[in-house]
């Protein structure tokens, strides 16, 4: 496995793959890797001949007072995991390499970033759009793999590449969970033992919503209220949102008739956790 630290070195290495006629897949990450990330790397290996991963904690997607400074970082450990999962190249730039001067270009996803996490993290998706655009231009992968864990991000990136004609396929891989249902996340490492024990309430809330829809509930407000109660039953969790939205455009449906996304976010201790579940309502009998 090769590690490239500069844009120029990444482009040189990309030319090698192009010369060899290899199909390239890119898995963008912020490091502090877990099995969720590694599942994307393995999926990338099924889709391409040469798997690239990027490890970059992108300051542009953190707001003031968010956890950029305390975000977990361990590049040596990440490189070992990426190699064992089959990555051929890792692009791991310093901040100054990615942002030699403050960017003036901004990617707006309005109105799709006014809901869910976008409503609670102003500027977050503009920062994601910026770094993903840069990574796709630097690596020029044939396919890029993202996780369903960040459902709104995956949807906005699909729109980014279609609206701006990026020549790349987007693949979205399922959420990998711990045995107790908690979605794997680099931020789980920041949880103390009591907070970690409280975290499954998010997944239980999603399961509550899913069961309601599968047993015939069609009122999104009822589904959201039940999910909210399930999160609030765990006193350590402070709810950001519990939503049942259209899976295509994240709008609030009048009734649960088409595929929906159940999405929750809550703070526990100083850490913000998110999770989601795509649900298909059963056909009307
Ligand atoms: P991050 O390092 O948090 O920016 O995540 C990098 C990529 O890994 C994103 O596409 C995430 O959606 C994906 N990812 C994070 N957690 C999981 C998980 N538990 N299962 C699957 N993919 C994940």
């Amino acid at each position: 496995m090769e590690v490239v630290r500069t844009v120029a070195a990444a482009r040189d290495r990309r030319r090698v793959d192009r010369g060899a006629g290899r199909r390239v897949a890119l898995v963008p990450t912020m490091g502090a890797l877990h099995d969720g990330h590694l599942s994307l790397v393995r999926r990338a290996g099924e889709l391409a001949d040469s798997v690239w991963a990027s490890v970059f904690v992108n300051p542009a997607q953190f707001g003031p007072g968010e956890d950029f400074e305390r975000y977990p970082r361990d590049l040596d450990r990440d490189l070992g995991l990426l190699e064992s999962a089959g990555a051929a190249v890792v692009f791991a730039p310093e901040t100054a390499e990615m942002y030699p001067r403050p960017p003036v270009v901004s990617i707006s996803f309005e109105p799709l970033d006014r809901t869910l996490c976008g409503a609670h993290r102003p500027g977050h998706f503009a920062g994601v759009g910026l770094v993903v655009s840069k990574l796709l231009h630097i690596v020029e992968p044939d396919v890029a793999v993202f996780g369903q864990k960040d459902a709104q991000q995956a949807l906005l990136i699909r729109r980014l590449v279609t609206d701006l004609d990026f020549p790349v396929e987007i693949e979205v891989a399922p959420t990998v969970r711990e045995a107790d249902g908690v979605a794997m996340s680099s931020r789980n490492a920041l949880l103390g033992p009591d907070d970690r024990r409280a975290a499954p309430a998010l997944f239980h809330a999603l399961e509550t919503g899913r069961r309601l829809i599968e047993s015939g509930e069609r009122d999104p407000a009822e589904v959201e209220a039940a999910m909210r109660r399930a999160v609030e039953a765990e006193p350590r969790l402070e709810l950001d949102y519990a939503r049942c939205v259209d899976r295509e455009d994240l709008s609030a449906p009048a009734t649960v008739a088409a595929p929906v996304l159940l999405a929750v976010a809550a703070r526990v201790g100083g850490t913000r956790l998110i999770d989601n579940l795509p649900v298909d309502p059963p056909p009307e009998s």
Side-chain angles (χ1 to χ4, degrees), residues 114-151:
R114 278 198 219 144
T115 185
L116 304 181
C117 285
H120 291 264
R121 302 185 69 186
H124 169 67
F125 286 115
V128 170
L130 189 65
V131 79
V132 171
S133 299
K134 287 169 71 74
L135 291 169
L136 293 176
H137 283 312
I138 293 164
V139 178
E140 298 184 343
D142 298 288
V143 55
V145 185
F146 295 87
Q148 173 65 28
K149 160 77 179 8
D150 297 281

Side-chain angles (χ1 to χ4, degrees), residues 27-40 54 56 61 71 145-151 153-154 157 171-178 182-188 275:
V27 180
T29 82
M30 297 205 299
L33 301 180
H34 50 66
D35 278 347
H37 297 111
L38 301 180
S39 76
L40 305 188
S54 59
F56 179 62
Q61 70 189 70
Y71 197 84
V145 185
F146 295 87
Q148 173 65 28
K149 160 77 179 8
D150 297 281
Q153 168 175 282
I157 287 166
E171 171 81 3
V172 179
T175 301
V176 177
R177 299 180 178 282
E178 306 281 2
V182 171
M184 289 190 181
S185 164
S186 305
R187 289 190 168 95
N188 293 348
D275 200 354

Side-chain angles (χ1 to χ4, degrees), residues 4 12 24 33 35 53 60 63 68 75 78-79 123-124 134 136 146 159 184 210 230 238 247 250 259 273 275:
V4 290
D12 284 348
V24 166
L33 301 180
D35 278 347
F68 175 68
L75 184 59
D78 290 343
L79 294 178
H124 169 67
K134 287 169 71 74
L136 293 176
F146 295 87
R159 288 300 300 265
M184 289 190 181
R210 178 181 63 77
E238 194 187 325
R247 209 186 299 163
L250 308 181
L273 300 179
D275 200 354

